[in-house]
């Protein structure tokens, strides 16, 4: 943007600003007066320009302004407002004074200093503050006059107000309570559950008390517990939701009930030793009598239950049904009886199944509107029955459907024309989480993951855990265009960090999707297709893949390679070739890198990049490594037996194998059996392996180095390349990947290669450049200080027979 365009933009901003903008010079004279300033102060710009800015100020600012400005400009004294901003008063042309917020900035040019003031009118704001204070005063008077305790809390349960009635009821003064969690006024049982209830309600769950009212127990400052009726209302304010509770003391009411109980002492002895629950209910379903069995099973004291509605001890999902049946009994003109099984909650929130028989006492003058109940605890019978049923269709760990349950639910769906997306979700590298933290920790993560999935899915979706760390979802489709955004959202939520046992875990997932009925109509086939798409996503390094025919073909090809590779390993059909490595300064041979080659009679020649990747994905990487180690060491022993002196051979070790505790023991056993020195062998690993802070990997590195086996980081620069981890690793070489060497003579990647060499020099680690193909690359790397290299410029990979011939010629002195 040129100077002219910038000036135009500034003019547009200044002239369109809502707040007044005024510019003065260092003598206080007005140099600019914006249109908004004209509106705010009532002056035109012409009336103000050139005049002292104090004309816009009332006393004492009018008289003091020039002195403040002079002190700041001439003597550098601290600014009263410049660069700070404050609330002041302004004066309009008509002499009226008004409140405003003034922010001042300073601008310096070559010849002068200017001060830019931005004035925001606070008149309306202060008027609203006064009105709010008047309303708050009235509200405070009402609260203080109330006999009942009135308490308000915010969305997090923090007390905001606490009236005089509450102080008298709970024994605290308001300063002791405001700002604290309201659970301090609750018994321990209620306090443990309060925050959970509140969060559940805010998330859309059913209200446990808000808008309903119930009888509860409260705790005074002195620790005493008393009964009260709590009614709660909800208010939406600018600061968020507030919940206002009205607390009414039921102590006197409970005392009356206690006296009634004492009067019936002669009847109590008859029923107290019964195993059944026995109770009587008032016309409002409050407990007027309970026997010992009732109290004992629910873990309550007698005084804690009397006067409380029986509905408070019944599961929230069943209260309305029970209340309706009890009301029908009361309305009956003759004695009637109803039987039902309900879930009841003990003091520790455990569920008890109770088979109740309630009878009305209509026609009895001394028991009008009362109901008598007899209940039998059938919890164990219900648990046994439900558990047996549950295990046939559900996963015992997460509560999701198992495969059989998923199939059953899918076959029972009502709308056979409904289209579905079948999602197969796999938690990537979950096995490592189990290995590092333990299976109990992994189970906690699986449970939390299942909980997240259930919360994200619509009601008519189905969720299944078929086993291990996999999940299957059946998602009804209305608009297929909404599918991928929903799945991306699901992946985001699923992979949010997990905090489990004070550990933060950030998992990654792969998701495969098939569509019913587009891809297939059989659920088992759809699941296999979704799983195949998931595996394809994992191989491609992406999180999401839709099933298509190419995936089937690719998986078929992968299966063919896997089977062929197993045969090749069993029948020794693989071939090891060696690529020489050289000292760059004198081109002397320093060693070899072992490379695998495979030609199959049916598949043809298969690239190492392909079959090694397949081997790792099907847990053949370890077998492949062991085959190469055994083959190379046997060949070295054979050459030494012939009197030849081969240079050390470096072998690439797959990622999973290097985290195997048995790796070093295997190598050590082979060396010992063949009588070979450890320095005849070198190992190459990728950056990704050493970045895994696994104790086993560190142990393998240390053991190999201690034995004399040198270790190199292969393909350096293509992965993490972090100086912080290199400084702590016991390694001997880094190998610069061929991608950085190509076109080096044209200057491409030259800076990166220099940086790698400088880093290696600082760490005292040798460097091997891969893929050197031209004389210019060789000379340039030598000039940069690279010590070793390999590539087609020196020699192509050669078979063992060719290497043996070369070693023989060297031994004979013919080379």
């Amino acid at each position: 943007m040129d100077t002219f365009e910038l000036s135009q933009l500034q003019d547009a901003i200044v002239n369109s600003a809502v707040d007044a903008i005024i510019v003065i010079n260092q003598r206080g004279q007005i140099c600019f007066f914006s249109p908004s300033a004209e509106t705010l102060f009532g002056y035109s710009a012409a009336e103000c320009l050139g005049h002292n800015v104090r004309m816009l100020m009332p006393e004492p600012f009018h008289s003091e302004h020039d002195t403040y400005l002079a002190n700041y400009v001439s003597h550098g004294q601290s600014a009263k407002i410049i660069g700070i901003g404050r609330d002041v008063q302004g004066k309009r042309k008509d002499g009226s004074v008004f409140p405003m917020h003034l922010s001042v900035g300073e601008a310096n040019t070559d010849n002068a200093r200017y001060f830019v003031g931005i004035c925001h009118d606070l008149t309306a704001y202060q008027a609203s503050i006064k009105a709010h204070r008047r309303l708050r005063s009235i509200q405070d008077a009402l609260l203080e006059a109330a006999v009942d305790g009135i308490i308000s809390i915010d969305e997090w349960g923090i007390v905001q107000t606490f009236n005089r009635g509450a102080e008298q009821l709970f024994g605290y003064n308001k300063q002791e309570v405001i700002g604290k969690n309201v659970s301090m006024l609750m018994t321990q049982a209620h306090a443990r559950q309060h925050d959970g209830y509140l969060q559940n309600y805010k998330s859309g769950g059913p209200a446990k008390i808000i808008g309903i009212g119930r009888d509860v127990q409260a705790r005074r400052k002195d620790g005493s517990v008393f009964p009260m009726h709590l009614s709660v209302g909800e208010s939406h304010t600018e600061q968020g939701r507030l919940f206002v509770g009205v607390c009414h003391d039921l102590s006197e009411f409970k005392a009356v009930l206690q006296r009634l109980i004492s009067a019936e002492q002669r009847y109590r002895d008859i029923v107290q030793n019964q195993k059944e629950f026995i109770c009587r209910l008032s016309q409002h379903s409050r407990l007027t009598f309970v026997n010992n069995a009732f109290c004992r099973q629910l873990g309550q004291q007698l005084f804690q239950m009397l006067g409380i509605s029986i509905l408070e001890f019944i599961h929230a999902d069943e209260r309305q049904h029970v209340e309706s049946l009890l009301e029908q009994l009361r309305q009956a003109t003759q004695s009637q009886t109803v039987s039902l099984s309900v879930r009841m909650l003990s003091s520790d929130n455990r569920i008890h199944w109770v088979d109740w028989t309630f009878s009305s006492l209509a026609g009895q003058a001394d028991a009008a509107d009362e109901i008598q109940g007899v209940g039998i605890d059938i919890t164990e019978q219900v648990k046994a029955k439900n558990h047996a049923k549950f295990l046939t269709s559900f996963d015992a760990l997460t509560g999701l459907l198992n495969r059989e349950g998923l199939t059953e639910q899918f076959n029972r769906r009502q709308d056979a024309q409904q289209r579905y997306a079948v999602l197969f979700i796999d938690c990537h590298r979950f096995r490592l989480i189990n290995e590092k933290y333990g299976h109990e920790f992994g189970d906690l993560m699986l449970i939390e993951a299942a909980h997240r999935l259930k919360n994200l899915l619509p009601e008519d979706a189905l969720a299944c855990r078929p086993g291990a760390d996999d999940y299957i979802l059946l998602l009804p489709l209305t608009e297929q265009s909404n599918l991928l955004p929903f799945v991306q959202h699901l992946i985001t939520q699923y992979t949010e960090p997990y905090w489990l046992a004070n550990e933060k875990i950030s998992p990654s997932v792969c998701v495969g999707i098939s569509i019913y009925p587009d891809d297939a109509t059989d659920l088992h086939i759809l699941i296999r297709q979704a799983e195949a798409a998931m595996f394809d996503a994992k191989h491609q390094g992406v999180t999401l893949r839709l099933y298509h025919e190419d995936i089937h073909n690719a998986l078929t090809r992968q299966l063919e390679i896997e089977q062929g590779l197993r045969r090749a390993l069993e029948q020794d059909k693989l071939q090891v070739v060696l690529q020489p490595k050289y000292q760059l300064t004198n081109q002397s041979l320093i060693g070899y890198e072992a490379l695998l080659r495979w030609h199959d009679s049916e598949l043809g020649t298969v690239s190492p990049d392909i079959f090694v990747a397949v081997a790792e994905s099907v847990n053949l990487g370890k077998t492949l490594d062991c085959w190469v180690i055994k083959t190379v060491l046997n060949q070295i022993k054979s050459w030494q037996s012939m009197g030849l002196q081969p240079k050390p051979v470096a072998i690439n070790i797959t990622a999973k194998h290097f985290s195997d505790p048995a790796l070093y023991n295997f190598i050590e056993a082979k060396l010992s059996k063949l009588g070979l020195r450890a320095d005849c062998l070198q190992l190459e690993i990728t950056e990704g392996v050493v970045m895994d802070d696994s104790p086993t990997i560190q142990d393998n590195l240390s053991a190999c180095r201690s034995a004399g086996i040198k270790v190199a980081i292969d393909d350096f620069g293509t992965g993490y390349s972090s100086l912080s981890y290199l400084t702590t690793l016991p390694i001997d070489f880094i190998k610069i990947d061929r991608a950085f060497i190509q076109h080096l003579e044209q200057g491409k990647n030259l800076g990166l290669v220099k940086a790698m060499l400088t880093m290696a020099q600082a760490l005292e680690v040798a460097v091997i450049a891969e893929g050197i193909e031209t004389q210019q690359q060789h000379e340039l790397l030598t000039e940069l200080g690279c010590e070793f290299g390999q590539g087609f410029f020196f020699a192509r990979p050669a078979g063992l027979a060719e290497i043996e011939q070369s070693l023989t010629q060297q031994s004979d002195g013919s080379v």
Side-chain angles (χ1 to χ4, degrees):
M1 182 179 293
D2 58 28
T3 304
F4 175 71
E5 290 176 332
L6 182 60
S7 176
Q8 285 187 318
L9 177 59
Q10 292 174 341
D11 290 345
I13 293 172
V14 169
N15 289 321
S16 63
V18 176
D19 290 334
I21 301 176
I22 303 171
V23 182
I24 65 171
N25 62 20
Q26 60 189 13
R27 295 185 299 280
Q29 295 174 326
I30 299 174
C31 304
F32 177 78
F33 202 71
S34 73
S36 295
E38 294 180 322
T39 302
L40 180 59
F41 289 93
Y43 290 99
S44 67
E47 292 177 284
C48 297
L49 295 177
H51 293 279
N52 194 291
V53 73
R54 64 176 178 268
M55 68 184 287
L56 306 178
M57 305 175 184
E59 290 296 350
F61 310 109
H62 180 88
S63 302
E64 297 173 350
H65 174 264
D66 287 353
T67 301
Y68 286 151
L69 184 60
N71 285 337
Y72 177 73
V73 172
S74 302
H75 307 297
Q77 294 185 3
S78 61
K80 299 293 185 179
I81 188 170
I82 298 168
I84 303 174
R86 63 191 290 187
D87 292 344
V88 299
Q89 290 182 317
K91 187 176 73 173
R92 298 189 177 92
K93 182 178 181 181
D94 61 9
S96 61
V97 176
F98 64 95
M100 71 180 186
H101 183 81
L102 175 60
S103 303
V104 180
E106 182 177 354
N108 294 302
T109 66
D110 294 336
N111 301 317
R113 300 164 74 181
Y114 294 92
F115 301 94
V116 182
I118 300 176
C119 309
H120 180 74
D121 191 355
L122 296 177
T123 304
Y125 170 73
Q126 291 195 356
S128 68
I129 292 296
K130 291 178 180 178
H132 174 74
R133 288 173 178 168
R134 286 196 299 271
L135 180 59
R136 183 62 181 267
S137 178
I138 295 172
Q139 290 175 340
D140 290 345
L142 290 173
L143 286 174
E144 293 305 311
V147 175
D148 286 335
I150 301 177
I151 306 169
S152 68
I153 64 173
D154 63 15
E155 296 184 76
W156 296 273
I158 304 303
V159 177
Q160 304 297 310
T161 61
F162 196 75
N163 77 334
R164 188 187 306 276
E167 289 181 324
Q168 295 174 348
L169 183 59
F170 290 94
Y172 291 97
N173 61 54
K174 64 177 64 180
Q175 289 78 13
E176 294 178 287
V177 179
I178 291 176
K180 306 286 183 59
N181 194 289
V182 72
S183 59
M184 68 183 290
L185 307 176
M186 302 175 182
T187 62
Q188 187 175 1
H190 287 89
R192 286 198 303 267
Q193 302 170 18
H194 174 263
D195 288 349
Y197 286 154
L198 192 58
Q199 294 304 319
N200 179 63
Y201 175 72
K202 291 193 298 180
S203 303
K208 299 293 182 181
I209 187 170
I210 298 168
I212 302 172
R214 64 191 289 188
D215 293 344
V216 298
Q217 290 178 310
R219 182 166 58 89
R220 295 188 179 92
K221 181 179 180 179
D222 63 9
S224 60
V225 175
F226 67 96
M228 75 178 189
H229 184 79
L230 176 62
S231 302
V232 180
E234 181 179 1
S235 172
H236 293 267
T237 70
E238 293 180 357
Q239 288 75 32
R241 287 190 287 189
L242 286 179
F243 301 97
V244 181
V246 179
C247 310
H248 180 73
D249 190 355
L250 293 177
S251 298
E252 291 186 9
F253 174 72
K254 296 291 288 284
V256 172
L257 290 179
Q258 185 65 50
R259 288 194 294 271
L260 290 174
I261 290 296
S262 298
E264 295 185 3
Q265 183 65 47
R266 61 184 181 277
Y267 302 111
R268 185 179 303 170
D269 292 339
I270 302 174
V271 298
Q272 284 297 3
N273 294 322
Q274 301 297 313
K275 294 181 179 180
E276 294 82 2
F277 293 4
I278 300 176
C279 68
R280 272 199 177 188
L281 310 177
S282 72
Q283 61 179 345
H284 300 297
S285 297
R286 298 183 188 275
L287 292 164
T288 61
F289 174 82
V290 291
N291 71 337
N292 286 338
F294 200 146
C295 297
R296 184 172 57 252
Q297 287 296 92
L298 297 190
Q300 303 280 1
Q301 297 294 322
L302 177 63
F303 74 89
Q304 293 175 319
M305 303 188 72
L306 293 178
I308 303 294
S309 171
I310 192 173
L311 300 176
E312 297 299 324
F313 302 100
I314 293 176
H315 195 282
D317 294 345
E318 300 176 15
R319 286 175 188 164
Q320 186 175 358
H321 176 59
V322 174
E323 186 175 20
S324 176
L325 288 177
L326 293 177
E327 185 60 30
Q328 290 178 25
L329 279 178
R330 293 191 189 95
Q331 298 300 327
T333 57
Q334 298 180 345
S335 297
Q336 289 190 2
T337 298
V338 295
S339 297
L340 70 160
S341 295
V342 298
R343 287 171 291 173
M344 303 196 72
L345 301 176
S346 62
S347 60
D348 57 2
N349 220 32
R350 287 189 301 172
I351 291 177
H352 291 261
W353 279 93
V354 181
D355 196 350
W356 278 105
T357 298
F358 291 110
S359 302
S360 64
L361 303 179
Q364 299 183 26
D366 61 343
D369 296 324
E370 278 198 325
I371 293 175
Q372 181 171 292
V374 178
I376 301 175
D377 192 330
I378 58 171
T379 304
E380 295 304 320
Q381 297 92 311
V382 171
K383 282 183 178 179
K385 180 179 178 181
N386 288 344
H387 186 64
K389 182 179 179 182
F390 177 84
L391 291 179
T392 61
S393 300
F394 293 86
D395 171 53
L397 178 65
T398 63
L400 300 183
L401 294 166
N402 56 24
R403 280 186 183 269
E404 292 74 14
L406 180 68
T407 302
E408 179 185 354
Q409 293 288 335
F410 181 77
N411 293 336
R412 288 168 54 187
R413 68 195 190 284
Q414 295 180 351
D415 185 3
Q417 303 304 314
Q418 173 69 55
R419 301 179 73 244
Y420 287 88
V422 179
L423 280 61
F424 196 102
I425 304 173
D426 176 78
C427 182
H428 188 43
R429 301 176 70 191
F430 180 78
R431 180 181 62 83
L432 297 180
I433 295 174
N434 270 338
E435 289 179 356
K436 183 173 182 179
Y437 299 104
H439 289 278
E440 290 183 2
F441 193 96
D443 287 348
L444 289 176
M445 180 179 162
L446 291 174
I447 293 169
E448 171 62 18
H451 177 71
R452 293 186 185 185
L453 292 175
K454 285 190 288 188
N455 287 341
L456 288 169
L457 293 177
E459 291 184 358
D460 49 353
L462 299 176
C464 164
R465 177 179 175 246
D469 57 335
D470 299 328
Y471 295 95
I472 300 171
L473 306 180
L474 262 66
L475 185 68
L477 287 180
T478 51
E479 294 291 337
Q480 190 158 340
S481 60
N482 297 331
L483 174 60
L484 292 184
F486 173 83
V487 177
Q488 292 289 359
H489 175 66
L490 183 145
I491 292 172
T492 300
Q493 296 299 310
Y494 184 99
T495 54
E496 278 291 313
Y498 292 71
W499 284 97
L500 302 170
N502 295 323
E503 292 282 352
K504 180 181 179 182
I505 301 297
S506 298
S508 59
V509 297
C510 290
V511 181
I513 305 174
S514 61
I515 304 296
Y516 169 90
D518 299 2
D519 295 320
T521 56
D522 184 277
L523 179 60
H524 297 291
I525 295 176
L526 286 163
I527 292 174
R528 287 202 301 270
Q529 291 172 339
E531 185 177 13
M534 179 275 294
F535 278 119
D536 187 66
K538 185 179 292 188
H539 294 152
Q540 297 298 324
V542 297
T543 58
L544 175 62
R545 182 74 77 197
L546 286 166
Y547 176 80
H548 53 77
E549 191 63 29
D550 290 344
I551 290 178
H552 173 75
N553 295 336
L555 289 173
T556 301
R557 172 69 174 175
Q558 178 179 328
L559 182 61
E560 291 173 346
I561 291 174
E562 176 191 345
Q563 298 301 320
L565 188 56
R566 291 183 186 278
R567 290 194 303 270
L569 286 168
E570 293 172 358
Q571 302 171 13
D572 278 342
K573 295 294 185 181
L574 298 173
Q575 179 187 7
V576 172
V577 297
L578 302 181
Q579 183 171 34
K581 296 184 290 187
Y582 294 89
Q583 177 92 33
L584 294 186
T585 53
N586 56 19
Q587 296 189 40
S588 60
L589 182 70
I590 64 161
Y592 307 91
E593 179 182 1
L595 304 172
L596 267 180
R597 297 293 183 263
W598 177 32
H599 180 84
D600 186 82
S601 58
E602 297 179 4
L603 301 174
T605 299
V606 185
S607 168
D609 292 341
I610 294 176
F611 71 76
V612 171
V614 171
E616 289 195 81
S617 68
V618 296
N619 295 320
L620 279 177
K622 176 180 176 180
T623 305
L624 202 62
D625 289 347
C626 291
W627 186 91
V628 176
I629 292 171
K630 181 178 66 175
T631 301
V632 167
L633 292 181
N634 285 338
Q635 185 61 63
I636 292 174
K637 178 63 178 178
S638 175
W639 284 336
Q640 289 183 358
S641 299
M642 297 166 60
L644 305 177
Q645 298 298 321
K647 298 292 184 180
V649 179
I651 298 175
N652 290 277
I653 303 298
T654 54
K656 289 183 180 179
H657 195 186
F658 211 83
S659 62
D660 184 352
L663 172 62
Y664 174 74
N665 292 335
F666 174 81
I667 295 173
E668 195 276 334
K670 289 296 179 184
L671 290 170
S672 177
K673 181 179 179 181
L674 295 172
L676 294 174
R677 289 167 50 91
D679 58 5
C680 74
L681 183 68
Q682 296 178 358
L683 301 180
E684 295 186 3
I685 55 178
T686 63
E687 291 178 80
V689 173
V690 293
M691 282 298 292
D692 188 339
D693 190 21
S694 164
T696 304
I697 290 175
Q698 298 299 322
D699 290 345
N700 277 332
L701 278 172
S702 299
C704 289
R705 293 286 312 298
S706 297
I709 300 173
K710 293 186 176 182
V711 180
I713 297 180
D714 196 17
D715 300 333
F716 184 76
T718 61
Y720 301 90
S721 302
S722 167
L723 181 61
S724 63
Y725 82 81
L726 283 175
T727 59
T728 62
L729 289 177
I731 58 172
D732 301 279
F733 305 98
I734 60 173
K735 300 188 71 174
I736 301 178
D737 188 70
R738 68 180 66 249
F740 297 100
I741 305 303
Q742 294 175 355
H743 312 298
L744 191 62
E745 60 269 36
Q746 284 85 39
K748 186 177 180 181
N749 296 321
L750 183 60
L752 288 174
V753 172
K754 285 182 179 179
M756 293 179 195
L757 290 167
T758 302
M759 180 189 298
Q761 184 178 11
L763 296 171
E764 299 181 354
V765 176
V767 178
I768 303 173
E770 296 183 292
I772 301 174
E773 297 182 353
T774 68
Q775 178 71 30
Q776 287 177 291
Q777 291 171 358
H778 172 218
E779 293 173 354
L780 187 55
L781 286 166
T782 304
E783 290 175 7
L784 291 174
C786 182
E787 299 175 69
F788 309 110
Q790 65 187 83
F792 290 175
F793 172 72
F794 301 107
R796 291 178 177 271
L800 298 179
E802 187 176 345
I803 297 295
E804 182 176 313
Q805 182 179 1
S806 174
L807 291 172
T808 302
Q809 292 173 350
Q810 293 175 21
S811 177
D812 294 342
S814 57
V815 175

